[in-house]
Amino acid sequence: MSSTDVDQQIEIWKMKRLIKSLSLARGGTSMISLVMPPKDQISIMNNTLTNEYGTASNIKSRVNRLSVLSAITSAQQCLKHYSRVPPKGLVVYCGTILTDEGKEKKVSIHFEPFKPINTSLYLCDNKFHVEALQELLDNDSSFGFIIIDGNGCLYGRVTGNTREIITQFTVDLPKKHGRGGQSAQRFGRIREEKRHHYLRKVAETATQVFISNNRVNETGIILAGSAEFKNDLMKSDLFDPRMRAKVINIVDVSYGGVNGFDQAISLSQECLSNVKLVQETKLIEKLFDEISLDTGKYSYGIMDTLKALDMGAVETLIVWESLDVNRVILNGPDGIEVERFFSPAQEADRSNYVDKETGAELEVKEKMPMLEWLTEIYKEKGAALEFVTDRSTVGSQFVKGFGGMGGLLRYKMDVAMLEGDDNDMYYDDDEEIVDNDDDDYFF
């Protein structure tokens, strides 16, 4: 996976965390959700907020009035950071929420989403509305279609529930005939030459349509057609090997053109829905293969994998996207900082905050989710970061049997022999890992 793909995957993971936090947040009636597509104007939204401020000034309840006015003011302050709407749109969430302890907390978030957003929204409610962000995640994968037959070729793209025809062209190929004599070989040769030129044009156009910056833009490619052209294209040296590696399905359709495109989409539904699952399954199976063959080029479990990561030995870091572990920095004896990684149960156990030699209580200096910390440091450690789910059989096995964290190493090494204080890692790999929906807010 390219660095661009990894960066986008991390942006998607951060968006999932944000959506989860926002959707769990509850407050009064002063939680503002504001979404602006790229075509909108900041000045128009500022006018809308000014009018809303005037309307809110008439709210009878003093508490509600001040709360709504404060949220609108926060939204106006957020818009001051922008002279125009960013190229991919703008999302703003402002308001006062209630924490788990029942205390009020002001929230003010503004950002440009990781991909263009087409929704326009302004709501003041007792919750944040994240439907537009969720839709971005649902539609994050795009698939290229090449519909080819003896009459022409169509190139299309499917993203979520949106179908797009990129380009198409027709061709007039000579048909087979029953002429004999000396002309038979000449006609046959002309026919094969024109078929070859047609395949060349199909392959070259596919490269222009689906490849930019030396990489394939689509998650997968589907070849479809009513004749053998699709198979000939797949086997041809004219077809770019980067796209051949992305082909996830070859289907027979009864038509060419737009009708064939629609039929190919219908026949590829299962394939399209499972492509991400297939990719992460292959990645986890690669780790399992290294373990079963005992190549030494692997690590699993949080402690061993972090040791290998710190050594710069991890080439691909594989982590369960819902792994609930916090990285905690404690002030140890003589002012020395101590790094710990705690599950929620271990974090609640006060004995983990006591120095074992002196019995002194250790003070928490810093705490953050381990996954968030990994997204910040994986590049400086020279690793690629891959998030996986537990929806597949191997994914579930990876989470329950291997601690939800592992690594493919650059070279053979015995991770267990690495020097390090095992007490730096309190997390118990045998402990059952549960996806707790009651996570803290990560604002």
Side-chain angles (χ1 to χ4, degrees):
M1 183 177 287
S2 68
S3 60
T4 305
D5 290 332
V6 172
D7 290 342
Q8 185 177 40
Q9 188 186 49
I10 290 173
E11 287 300 316
I12 291 172
W13 175 82
K14 289 180 178 179
M15 183 69 74
K16 287 181 178 179
R17 297 277 289 190
L18 178 60
I19 289 175
K20 185 175 183 179
S21 298
L22 291 171
S23 61
L24 290 173
R26 290 295 181 270
T29 56
S30 58
M31 299 171 68
I32 291 178
S33 305
L34 193 159
V35 180
M36 301 178 65
K39 62 183 180 181
D40 276 11
Q41 298 181 17
I42 296 291
S43 58
I44 295 177
M45 182 53 67
N46 270 324
N47 289 336
T48 300
L49 291 175
T50 300
N51 293 334
E52 288 291 324
Y53 192 95
T55 303
S57 300
N58 298 320
I59 297 176
K60 293 182 179 181
S61 170
R62 180 177 179 276
V63 174
N64 288 345
R65 181 174 67 251
L66 294 178
S67 182
V68 173
L69 292 177
S70 175
I72 294 175
T73 302
S74 295
Q76 290 174 323
Q77 293 297 322
C78 290
L79 293 182
K80 287 183 179 180
H81 290 85
Y82 305 89
S83 59
R84 64 182 64 183
V85 178
K88 297 178 183 177
L90 177 62
V91 179
V92 178
Y93 291 103
C94 295
T96 302
I97 66 172
L98 294 176
T99 66
D100 292 339
E101 293 78 23
K103 298 180 180 179
E104 290 188 346
K105 177 181 178 182
K106 285 190 175 182
V107 172
S108 181
I109 303 171
H110 56 92
F111 60 92
E112 180 184 8
F114 70 95
K115 61 186 295 188
I117 193 166
N118 296 319
T119 303
S120 182
L121 174 72
Y122 171 78
L123 281 173
C124 186
D125 203 350
N126 64 347
K127 65 178 182 179
F128 289 127
H129 290 263
V130 297
E131 295 83 2
L133 297 183
Q134 187 62 56
E135 187 177 344
L136 286 185
L137 294 180
D138 294 340
N139 298 344
D140 70 317
S141 296
S142 65
F143 300 88
F145 282 76
I146 302 176
I147 316 299
I148 177 174
D149 63 9
N151 297 314
C153 187
L154 179 146
Y155 303 85
R157 177 180 291 115
V158 172
T159 305
N161 57 4
T162 303
R163 187 204 69 169
E164 173 192 3
I165 297 174
I166 304 172
T167 188
Q168 58 183 320
F169 63 87
T170 58
V171 68
D172 184 17
L173 296 176
K175 311 295 182 183
K176 289 184 178 180
H177 57 80
R179 296 179 186 176
Q182 296 179 350
S183 301
Q185 290 184 348
R186 180 169 61 88
F187 281 122
R189 187 168 58 252
I190 293 174
R191 180 174 178 272
E192 288 302 318
E193 286 178 356
K194 289 195 173 184
R195 286 172 63 93
H196 180 77
H197 290 319
Y198 174 45
L199 275 181
R200 179 186 295 276
K201 182 177 181 180
V202 170
E204 290 176 348
T205 305
T207 301
Q208 296 169 6
V209 168
F210 295 125
I211 293 182
S212 62
N213 298 322
N214 202 34
R215 61 184 290 271
V216 180
N217 300 321
E218 317 303 324
T219 303
I221 302 289
I222 290 91
L223 303 181
S226 57
E228 286 299 312
F229 278 110
K230 59 185 179 298
N231 298 316
D232 294 341
L233 177 65
M234 183 66 179
K235 294 182 288 188
S236 173
D237 292 336
L238 301 171
F239 194 41
D240 194 299
R242 292 169 294 181
M243 277 192 293
R244 184 183 293 112
K246 287 280 190 175
V247 172
I248 60 174
N249 201 17
I250 301 177
V251 296
D252 290 309
V253 292
S254 305
Y255 315 97
V258 176
N259 292 333
F261 185 21
D262 291 337
Q263 190 178 11
I265 294 173
S266 177
L267 294 174
S268 302
Q269 285 300 314
E270 183 177 354
C271 184
L272 300 185
S273 63
N274 290 333
V275 66
K276 277 190 172 181
L277 208 58
V278 170
Q279 290 173 347
E280 70 176 46
T281 296
K282 288 181 179 178
L283 181 64
I284 298 173
E285 284 179 342
K286 184 176 180 181
L287 174 65
F288 287 176
D289 288 343
E290 297 288 340
I291 295 173
S292 63
L293 295 173
D294 197 20
T295 62
K297 297 176 65 176
Y298 63 86
S299 66
Y300 60 85
I302 296 176
M303 182 175 67
D304 285 351
T305 303
L306 288 176
K307 286 180 181 178
L309 182 68
D310 194 52
M311 293 283 291
V314 177
E315 184 171 25
T316 304
L317 180 61
I318 308 170
V319 187
W320 179 37
E321 66 176 13
S322 299
L323 189 58
D324 191 8
V325 175
N326 281 329
R327 175 179 180 263
V328 181
I329 302 299
L330 304 173
N331 282 329
D334 302 324
I336 299 175
E337 292 185 354
V338 181
E339 183 183 57
R340 297 283 190 263
F341 294 88
F342 293 147
S343 68
Q346 292 159 338
E347 196 171 340
D349 186 354
R350 297 310 303 174
S351 65
N352 289 326
Y353 297 85
V354 176
D355 183 71
K356 294 186 176 180
E357 294 182 1
T358 64
E361 187 169 345
L362 306 177
E363 180 185 353
V364 177
K365 179 180 180 182
E366 180 185 337
K367 184 180 80 168
M368 70 184 303
M370 185 185 72
L371 296 187
E372 190 175 327
W373 172 69
L374 289 174
T375 64
E376 295 177 358
I377 59 96
Y378 77 95
K379 284 186 178 179
E380 66 185 58
K381 300 296 183 181
L385 179 57
E386 298 276 2
F387 288 110
V388 298
T389 68
D390 59 350
R391 293 197 299 266
S392 65
T393 302
V394 293
S396 178
Q397 184 181 356
F398 174 68
V399 169
K400 294 179 179 178
F402 296 84
M405 186 171 179
L408 296 169
L409 308 187
R410 290 186 170 84
Y411 44 82
K412 183 177 180 179
M413 65 186 303
D414 188 351
V415 179
M417 297 300 292
L418 288 177
E419 291 185 2
D421 183 4
D422 286 352
N423 289 330
D424 284 354
M425 186 62 236
Y426 280 109
Y427 191 85
D428 182 3
D429 287 341
D430 294 330
E431 180 181 333
E432 183 180 359
I433 300 175
V434 180
D435 183 8
N436 184 5
D437 289 335
D438 295 323
D439 290 339
D440 293 339
Y441 299 117
F442 293 96
F443 296 117

